[in-house]
Structures are given as structure tokens and as C-alpha cells.
Amino acid sequence: DTAVSQTPKYLVTQMGNDKSIKCEQNLGHDTMYWYKQDSKKFLKIMFSYNNKELIINETVPNRFSPKSPDKAHLNLHINSLELGDSAVYFCASSQGSTGRGTDTQYFGPGTRLTVL
Amino acid sequence: DAKTTQPNSMESNEEEPVHLPCNHSTISGTDYIHWYRQLPSQGPEYVIHGLTSNVNNRMASLAIAEDRKSSTLILHRATLRDAAVYYCILRGAYNNNDMRFGAGTRLTVKP
């Protein structure tokens, strides 16, 4: 079983559309994250949720809205997609409750979003 | 957050050891040193972490300088599958779990 899974793997859409990316973890972790990796390959954290509560919200346009229906899921909804949103989006999870300096994150396979 | 500095790229021959350096001169006393790697077209994966002492696991070894201002990830026998971008990341013991990735080191393994 895949520990952290994301769907879809690829997403091609037109500018202005609204789309969602789903993430599920079966590790029993308390904390989930969304990262964005742009064309220059820099990985940046976008959001972090702990037990369904938003912990980190980096400087991300409010067109991006994470939704956590339960501890095992953290979905990313994007409104009014723009060309600059094209990137690979990674979901991750971690136990979160251990000593934070030792907390290990487990990443999903990524969703490649292409906005035309 | 304390910053890390890594070479942009390194090359290695298959089945030879690889030493990937990381400088973190502004590390604080409570910062852990983590290493992750990202294989092509995959998400990052955890490799190893340490605080002060050298660490070994099935994937790699982590050698930490006595002053903790630098560390080295050691792959004892590089395989083609080890070709990846390796990230050295500092994580504070009291931070909020976020990880700040730098540019990392792209390791090429030659057969």
C-alpha cells in the first residue's frame, strides 16, 4: 500500500478553471503538508495541517485553499488557475507530535499541473 | 531559519563511495541536520538525520563536524539508483514542522 498517495498524477487544464488535487495518507500521521515545486525545481512549503487545523500558511494566493475533511486527507483546491500555477505539487505527512527536530516527512509521488 | 550551502552538482562512479558536503555555519544548538533526496520524477524521501553524533542507517551515514558547522552525507557504495538531488536541511527542535528546501546537490552516478 502506498503510504502517501495523490490524485491525479497529471492535470492539464485551461486558465481560469478550478481544480482540486487529493491527498491521502495511511500512516496514521497527525500532520499533512502541501509543497510546490516550480520549473526551477525549488520546493516550497505552502500549507501545513495538524489534526485538521491549519498550522502553516505561507504567502500563497488565496486562490489556493486546502481542505482537510479528516486527519488522513488534505486536499488542495485551486480557483481561477493561472499560467504561473503550473508546477508539481507534493503532498507530505509526518507524525508531528514527536520532537519536532526529529520529525520525518513522507512525500507523495506528486501531481504535475499544467495550465494552458 | 539557519541556512545551508551545498555544491550544485557532484559526480561519482558506480560502486564508489560518495561524500556530499553541507555547510551550515549559522546552525543553532537545537537544530537537527536532516538529509532528504529526490529521485527523478519522484517526491523527496528521507535519508538520515542527526544532532551531534555521527549516524548510520541502511541508506547512508552522516558525519557531523565537531563544531556542527558542517556535515557530510556518505553513500558507501553509489549505485545508479542513487542518482538524485540531495537536500541538507536544518530543523529546529521547536519549530512548527515546516521544512525549507534549498537547491540541493544533484548527484550523477556514472556506470
Side-chain angles (χ1 to χ4, degrees):
Chain A
D1 281 345
T2 304
V4 182
S5 59
Q6 296 178 228
T7 54
K9 189 168 174 61
Y10 300 96
L11 185 52
V12 181
T13 188
Q14 300 286 333
M15 266 197 319
N17 284 350
D18 303 339
K19 290 293 178 185
S20 291
I21 306 172
K22 295 186 177 181
C23 177
E24 176 181 3
Q25 55 96 3
N26 62 8
L27 298 167
H29 286 164
D30 290 332
T31 307
M32 296 185 72
Y33 313 80
W34 277 107
Y35 288 83
K36 178 181 179 181
Q37 188 166 40
D38 60 24
S39 57
K40 294 184 180 178
K41 303 296 185 184
F42 288 111
L43 260 166
K44 290 186 179 177
I45 188 157
M46 301 173 68
F47 301 102
S48 166
Y49 266 74
N50 182 269
N51 274 319
K52 296 172 56 181
E53 182 182 339
L54 182 64
I55 302 298
I56 298 170
N57 183 354
E58 288 294 299
T59 308
V60 176
N62 57 15
R63 298 181 294 104
F64 290 78
S65 54
K67 289 188 179 13
S68 182
D70 55 58
K71 212 171 73 165
H73 296 84
L74 181 63
N75 303 323
L76 184 64
H77 189 76
I78 315 170
N79 289 329
S80 304
L81 278 155
E82 300 178 357
L83 293 176
D85 296 334
S86 295
V88 181
Y89 292 85
F90 290 100
C91 177
S93 74
S94 72
Q95 188 57 45
S97 56
T98 58
R100 287 167 176 167
T102 62
D103 193 52
T104 298
Q105 293 189 12
Y106 295 80
F107 285 78
T111 296
R112 182 175 293 277
L113 171 65
T114 303
V115 182
L116 304 175
Chain B
D1 289 333
K3 280 190 157 183
T4 64
T5 305
Q6 300 176 251
N8 289 334
S9 62
M10 290 185 65
E11 278 190 359
S12 169
N13 294 318
E14 199 176 8
E15 298 191 5
E16 289 186 357
V18 182
H19 290 231
L20 297 164
C22 180
N23 287 322
H24 28 78
S25 57
T26 59
I27 191 170
S28 76
T30 56
D31 284 340
Y32 284 79
I33 302 158
H34 285 245
W35 284 82
Y36 280 72
R37 72 179 185 181
Q38 187 173 18
L39 303 172
S41 302
Q42 295 188 28
E45 65 174 342
Y46 167 80
V47 178
I48 200 167
H49 77 273
L51 183 62
T52 56
S53 304
N54 295 343
V55 185
N56 300 299
N57 67 20
R58 65 173 180 81
M59 288 180 74
S61 296
L62 177 60
I64 301 173
E66 197 169 334
D67 63 4
R68 300 212 324 125
K69 294 183 185 297
S70 66
S71 61
T72 302
L73 180 71
I74 302 166
L75 307 179
H76 295 286
R77 287 181 69 215
T79 68
L80 296 178
R81 196 196 172 276
D82 291 321
V85 178
Y86 287 78
Y87 298 98
C88 170
I89 303 165
L90 299 183
R91 305 192 65 196
Y94 305 105
N95 75 353
N96 54 2
N97 281 337
D98 62 330
M99 283 209 297
R100 309 286 165 162
F101 286 82
T105 296
R106 180 173 296 279
L107 175 66
T108 302
V109 180
K110 296 183 288 185

